[in-house]
Amino acid sequence: MAENKAILKVGEKEIELPILSGTAGHDVIDVRSLGANGYFTFDPGFMATGSCESAITYIDGEKGVLLHRGFSIEELARDAEYLEVCYMLLHGDAPSAEEYASFKNTITRHTMIHDQVNNFFRGFRRDAHPMAMLCGTVGALSSFYHDDLDISDEAQRLRSAYRLVAKMPTLVAMCFKYNIGQPFVYPRNDKSYAENFLNMMFSVPAEEYKASKAVIRAMDRIFTLHADHEQNASTSTVRLAGSSGANPYACIAAGVASLWGPAHGGANEACLNMLEEIGSVDRIPEFIARAKDKNDSFRLMGFGHRVYKNYDPRATVMRESCHEVLAELNIKDPLLDVAMELERIALSDPYFKEKKLFPNVDFYSGIILKAIGIPTNMFTCIFALARTVGWISHWHEMLSQPGQKIGRPRQLYTGHDQRKYTPISKK
């Protein structure tokens, strides 16, 4: 990293702070020496704070750029399989044909869940939220691999990563099956990652589920487009938990819990809820007017993005799959009609263009998942499934870097100064 200096003047005191430059993106001011000078920075929400050094994912929100290990998300979503992206995130580069075949074989043969895990599900209420079950069962996996949890050993870290990537689809499908009262379906080694997941979700002992190529491809793309997204809330949660030396299963369970928050992982579910609120195509003008009214709290979910100020680069590829799936399945659903009309308006109305409120990846992925037959309460579980590889890649990268310390944010204290306590008996 190139290094310059910034001078912070506090009263008569001047503090020199290094300026660090990465491969791309903003330079950062290294404030680690401030504590020794009696100061800390104050940045609620970490809006201007770089919490770590990473070589995994790069985002330029102004230009609509998302890169994984230097490869654009558009190219990966169109030309690579999800497991190929998983290999890149974990190992730093695209695999050779031999490396990829070996990796796929390893993942395929780790998809089974220990039979005792079934007993965990029996303890949940049938109407428990799938994310509640997923939090518990992911964390519980550590009890089955307690002799392989030395996080200082790179080989053990990678084995844990492979297990999590492999077993997450099985656990998510089990959450769904338990929720609807159907028997669990075991994974199949003769199916691809996405096809295997769909089979575990929708097949039953009496009848095999046959997914079309368009649906399988769309599912694989949903996984790819949600694989990683830099230092978001859940990824930062995983890293913070991992900095304490917690085992990888506990760290990923922490990521699942963070993702469960409606401000983070519930965007595509919120989009479907909005479509249900609109209800029919003839009511769209009313809601468009409300969205344009500054005095109305209604917002169109699935349009625009906090990070991407121009357009969401993931949405272009997801739009292709969305239209492919809808055309192939030919589903007659009023909500899908509403979604398509909203998309048409958003891509043609000058207001949306001016405000850069283009349909994002959550808009299209939510429509695809609904068309496939996945209920909205499962959307965030599928997000967690896809994001697991990003979480575990960041965890692995963090533990591979020298000089790591436990995360310990500071605070601006605004409570009472020290005061004397009076026992109740003396009042």
Side-chain angles (χ1 to χ4, degrees):
M1 289 185 176
E3 186 174 299
N4 297 310
K5 299 285 185 181
I7 305 297
L8 176 65
K9 189 169 184 179
V10 185
E12 298 299 316
K13 187 176 184 179
E14 289 189 349
I15 304 171
E16 281 193 357
L17 301 171
I19 298 177
L20 308 178
S21 300
T23 306
H26 298 289
D27 290 347
V28 298
I29 299 174
D30 185 345
V31 299
R32 283 175 288 185
S33 64
L34 281 181
N37 286 277
Y39 298 96
F40 299 115
T41 59
F42 183 64
D43 183 21
F46 307 109
M47 302 301 292
T49 298
S51 62
C52 65
E53 179 182 329
S54 180
I56 296 174
T57 295
Y58 172 69
I59 296 173
D60 186 331
E62 297 295 332
K63 296 180 180 178
V65 172
L66 171 59
L67 307 178
H68 293 327
R69 299 295 191 181
F71 302 107
S72 77
I73 191 62
E74 295 96 331
E75 288 183 318
L76 294 177
R78 287 197 177 98
D79 303 327
E81 296 177 339
Y82 172 69
L83 285 185
E84 191 176 347
V85 175
C86 289
Y87 184 97
M88 293 176 197
L89 293 176
L90 282 167
H91 293 281
D93 207 347
S96 66
E98 294 77 13
E99 288 169 333
Y100 189 40
S102 175
F103 179 70
K104 282 200 295 186
N105 182 66
T106 299
I107 298 300
T108 298
R109 298 193 177 280
H110 277 84
T111 53
M112 288 285 291
I113 297 290
H114 195 289
D115 193 60
Q116 286 294 102
V117 174
N118 292 357
N119 295 330
F120 284 93
F121 282 94
R122 308 296 181 218
F124 295 125
R125 284 175 44 149
R126 283 287 180 183
D127 61 351
H129 195 286
M131 284 293 282
M133 293 187 280
L134 192 62
C135 281
T137 52
V138 169
L141 287 180
S142 60
S143 65
F144 296 96
Y145 305 105
H146 52 80
D147 57 347
D148 199 32
L149 293 176
D150 182 357
I151 62 173
S152 65
D153 183 343
E154 182 179 5
Q156 291 190 40
R157 290 201 305 269
L158 284 174
R159 281 198 295 271
S160 296
Y162 292 170
R163 288 190 187 108
L164 280 158
V165 171
K167 297 179 190 303
M168 204 66 166
T170 310
L171 283 177
V172 169
M174 291 174 79
C175 291
F176 173 66
K177 288 296 195 182
Y178 187 77
N179 219 207
I180 63 175
Q182 290 185 1
F184 299 138
V185 176
Y186 291 110
R188 292 266 301 269
N189 291 350
D190 61 335
K191 296 182 181 297
S192 70
Y193 192 86
E195 185 181 8
N196 187 39
F197 172 67
L198 290 166
N199 186 69
M200 290 188 291
M201 287 283 287
F202 296 120
S203 67
V204 293
E207 185 177 353
E208 185 177 354
Y209 172 77
K210 294 182 179 180
S212 69
K213 289 184 179 180
V215 169
I216 294 170
R217 181 61 177 150
M219 196 76 253
D220 193 80
R221 279 183 170 176
I222 286 175
F223 293 159
T224 295
L225 294 170
H226 290 86
D228 191 51
H229 211 235
E230 208 223 60
Q231 304 306 319
N232 51 78
S234 57
T235 300
S236 298
T237 298
V238 170
R239 293 185 71 116
L240 189 59
S243 74
S244 74
N247 73 74
Y249 306 97
C251 293
I252 299 306
V256 172
S258 176
L259 189 70
W260 195 1
H264 187 9
N268 47 15
E269 184 175 352
C271 179
L272 263 291
N273 291 336
M274 176 199 70
L275 296 179
E276 289 180 355
E277 183 182 359
I278 296 173
S280 59
V281 171
D282 62 303
R283 296 191 65 199
I284 289 178
E286 169 194 343
F287 285 87
I288 293 292
R290 290 182 59 188
K292 294 179 179 180
D293 186 352
K294 294 180 180 180
N295 298 317
D296 195 316
S297 60
F298 174 78
R299 294 292 180 268
L300 286 173
M301 305 303 296
F303 294 84
H305 196 280
R306 177 183 175 183
V307 173
Y308 300 109
K309 307 305 180 186
N310 190 2
Y311 69 96
D312 185 343
R314 301 167 298 174
T316 305
V317 182
M318 200 76 269
R319 180 176 184 270
E320 292 176 6
S321 285
C322 179
H323 285 271
E324 286 174 8
V325 169
L326 293 181
E328 179 168 298
L329 297 181
N330 194 28
I331 297 172
K332 302 300 180 184
D333 187 324
L335 294 192
L336 297 180
D337 293 338
V338 171
M340 291 299 95
E341 177 61 13
L342 272 177
E343 180 202 39
R344 186 194 66 77
I345 293 172
L347 295 177
S348 59
D349 190 320
Y351 173 84
F352 286 86
K353 292 181 179 180
E354 178 186 341
K355 300 292 184 181
K356 300 187 185 301
L357 294 176
F358 302 111
N360 60 35
V361 68
D362 299 306
F363 177 79
Y364 292 116
S365 64
I367 295 169
I368 291 172
L369 294 175
K370 178 174 176 56
I372 291 172
I374 296 173
T376 53
N377 68 351
M378 285 296 301
F379 285 7
T380 313
C381 286
I382 291 173
F383 192 161
L385 186 171
R387 184 57 57 84
T388 292
V389 70
W391 291 333
I392 203 66
S393 296
H394 282 276
W395 172 84
H396 176 56
E397 177 187 61
M398 178 186 70
L399 293 176
S400 301
Q401 295 169 334
Q404 284 299 319
K405 298 180 180 180
I406 185 172
R408 179 61 170 86
R410 300 294 180 167
Q411 66 174 14
L412 176 64
Y413 177 67
T414 57
H416 288 285
D417 201 351
Q418 183 173 344
R419 52 182 174 163
K420 184 176 177 57
Y421 172 71
T422 303
I424 292 176
S425 60
K426 294 184 179 181
K427 289 183 179 178

